[in-house]
Amino acid sequence: MDKNVIWIDNNDNILGEVSLIKAHQEGLLHRISVVYLANDTNQVLIQKRNDGRLDHSAAGHVDVGESYLEAAKRELEEELGVSGIDLQEIGDCSSNESGNKIRHRFKVFVCKTNPGKLDPSEVEEVFWANPVEIWGDMKNDNDDKKYCGGFKVTLELYLRNLSVQL
């Protein structure tokens, strides 16, 4: 199923609507919302996707007519069964994933909660992990086979927000 996404410039100004397939094929920058679930021991929830790679707690494309926050809340509910909680925005960043044409602008949110019912069509499993240890392991994943490319960019932002020296 192809849907439309919001095509943006490097300053997050809207340039128009394009199909997701076109955005990915032509390297058009578009929006993604990311949510990190954290616990009281400073761990983050890691998602193992159905393709076997590790990723953010929850994330997804921002739909046309939707804000980053609305998309973050939708993805959190769809993927992890979590709703009705406040999300704190911690920043944004951009990436070119896997050295290919795909270009995403991420807005990153965080909350303290536990996952609910996982969506088996998207999420194989989840687990809590130390984000500093995950960051260290990511440095050995040069071909994005273990970790999703966007996860690497947003985890760095997440750790810098916590004032962790990288």
Side-chain angles (χ1 to χ4, degrees):
M1 178 184 90
D2 193 22
K3 64 178 184 175
N4 281 356
V5 293
I6 304 162
W7 174 28
I8 57 171
D9 66 15
N10 290 331
N11 295 315
D12 204 18
N13 296 308
I14 296 173
L15 299 174
E17 275 181 45
V18 295
S19 73
L20 179 59
I21 291 172
K22 179 176 178 161
H24 284 178
Q25 288 175 341
E26 296 182 16
L28 304 177
L29 188 61
H30 57 286
R31 297 172 172 170
I32 299 274
S33 285
V34 172
V35 181
Y36 280 102
L37 272 63
N39 65 20
D40 290 333
T41 60
N42 295 320
Q43 294 176 313
V44 293
L45 189 77
I46 307 297
Q47 180 185 132
K48 183 176 181 186
R49 295 164 36 131
N50 287 335
D51 66 5
R53 294 187 303 157
L54 303 179
D55 206 354
H56 324 91
S57 304
H61 289 91
V62 177
D63 291 341
V64 173
E66 191 175 47
S67 70
Y68 281 103
L69 180 60
E70 290 167 334
K73 288 181 177 185
R74 176 180 48 78
E75 291 293 340
L76 191 56
E77 185 168 2
E78 287 175 5
E79 294 179 10
L80 302 179
V82 174
S83 63
I85 60 163
D86 291 328
L87 300 179
Q88 176 190 355
E89 182 182 328
I90 62 168
D92 55 48
C93 53
S94 296
S95 78
N96 287 8
E97 300 199 20
S98 303
N100 61 25
K101 286 185 173 183
I102 297 175
R103 297 177 59 222
H104 290 139
R105 179 171 183 100
F106 302 97
K107 189 150 302 218
V108 182
F109 300 87
V110 66
C111 63
K112 283 200 173 184
T113 192
N114 289 305
K117 183 175 174 13
L118 305 181
D119 178 355
S121 71
E122 293 193 56
V123 183
E124 185 174 314
E125 67 179 289
V126 295
F127 59 92
W128 294 102
N130 179 316
V132 174
E133 291 174 7
I134 294 293
W135 175 254
D137 190 48
M138 282 180 173
K139 293 180 181 180
N140 299 319
D141 185 42
N142 296 326
D143 55 6
D144 292 342
K145 289 196 177 181
K146 183 173 182 180
Y147 298 97
C148 295
F151 182 25
K152 294 176 180 182
V153 175
T154 64
L155 186 62
E156 180 178 5
L157 174 71
Y158 177 84
L159 291 171
R160 289 192 190 286
N161 185 67
L162 296 176
S163 299
V164 173
Q165 293 294 324
L166 301 178

